[in-house]
Amino acid sequence: MTPLRFLLFVLVLAGTSACATAPDGNPAAFTVARRSFASSGVRILVDVYTPRAAGPHRPVLVLHGAGGMLFDGPEMTRVGEQLATAGFECYQVHYFDRTHTWFARQAVLLKLFPAWRATVQDAVNWVHRRRPEAPKIGIFGYSLGAFAAIE
């Protein structure tokens, strides 16, 4: 494992463990699980935030911007936590996994966007299979993620 990957692993691990409890030390109002689906033969990671409270939890995809999970991840994690606390089942999709991209600069946006858009559609289909009782899936897209959400 390269030093950069190790550092990112430690940062992700630290961020994930922080989700287990609320700031006051009590258990969080949600649980977090890492899942995945295949898009064009590539494994796409998804962080699933599920409310602990009973009830119908409408699914919502959360899509990062051009900063990817590297730069936008912490903020998108906060969005996922807030949505789960509000009663939504949140799916934070690592759609850059499809192209093995950490973040997107202008030079690659147009070239890789069709693959990312297809990955978001695959994510919608995957959530529909997981949650067939949910008539609709919400999408929160930040910047590039908002463009990828538009069909």
Side-chain angles (χ1 to χ4, degrees), residues 29-40:
F30 55 87
T31 61
V32 182
R34 176 139 303 170
R35 301 287 182 251
S36 66
F37 66 93
S39 181
S40 191

Side-chain angles (χ1 to χ4, degrees), residues 120-131:
V120 170
Q121 184 58 55
D122 289 343
V124 169
N125 294 337
W126 177 73
V127 172
H128 271 300
R129 286 191 302 277
R130 285 179 54 95
R131 298 283 312 277

Side-chain angles (χ1 to χ4, degrees), residues 61-150:
L61 297 184
V62 172
L63 306 174
H64 59 74
M69 290 304 294
L70 180 62
F71 296 112
D72 296 345
E75 186 60 34
M76 295 301 96
T77 295
R78 282 189 285 281
V79 169
E81 291 172 351
Q82 290 172 351
L83 285 168
T85 300
F88 294 92
E89 185 171 54
C90 177
Y91 296 83
Q92 185 175 345
V93 181
H94 299 229
Y95 64 95
F96 276 10
D97 288 355
R98 167 94 174 252
T99 56
H100 309 288
T101 306
W102 292 62
F103 60 92
R105 295 185 352 193
Q106 189 67 31
V108 300
L109 284 175
L110 292 177
K111 178 182 173 190
L112 298 179
F113 185 79
W116 298 330
R117 176 65 195 101
T119 304
V120 170
Q121 184 58 55
D122 289 343
V124 169
N125 294 337
W126 177 73
V127 172
H128 271 300
R129 286 191 302 277
R130 285 179 54 95
R131 298 283 312 277
E133 80 289 355
K136 295 183 181 181
I137 297 172
I139 300 180
F140 174 91
Y142 170 71
S143 191
L144 177 64
F147 285 101
I150 299 172

